[in-house]
């Protein structure tokens, strides 16, 4: 288990029943990066990965 799994598990436990839009998620990611600029690259990579999940070329 990676250390980050704890945060992912907490997210699933606390908010797992909620439904959110991609627009809502994008806004939360922007807010997070504004507050934590050191995480700009990892958040950008995650967002790009999520955006391209259905691409068959990759």
């Amino acid at each position: 288990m990676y250390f980050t799994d704890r945060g992912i598990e907490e997210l699933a436990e606390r908010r797992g029943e909620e439904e959110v839009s991609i627009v809502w998620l994008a806004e939360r990611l922007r807010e997070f990066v504004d507050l934590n600029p050191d995480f700009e690259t990892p958040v950008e990579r995650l967002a790009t990965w999520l955006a391209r999940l259905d691409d068959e070329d990759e």
Side-chain angles (χ1 to χ4, degrees):
M1 174 187 284
Y2 291 102
F3 180 75
T4 54
D5 287 349
R6 290 184 7 205
I8 295 168
E9 287 175 3
E10 180 179 351
L11 175 62
E13 288 174 17
R14 288 177 165 233
R15 305 193 76 151
E17 299 299 319
E18 295 180 29
E19 291 186 27
V20 299
S21 70
I22 298 299
V23 171
W24 180 90
L25 176 61
E27 290 172 3
R28 300 300 73 78
L29 290 171
R30 283 188 196 102
E31 287 176 14
F32 180 81
V33 169
D34 286 347
L35 294 170
N36 303 279
D38 290 345
F39 290 96
E40 179 180 6
T41 299
V43 169
E44 187 275 334
R45 288 180 182 168
L46 173 61
T48 301
W49 180 77
L50 289 171
R52 298 176 182 175
L53 272 176
D54 293 334
D55 285 359
E56 293 182 19
D57 294 340
E58 294 185 29

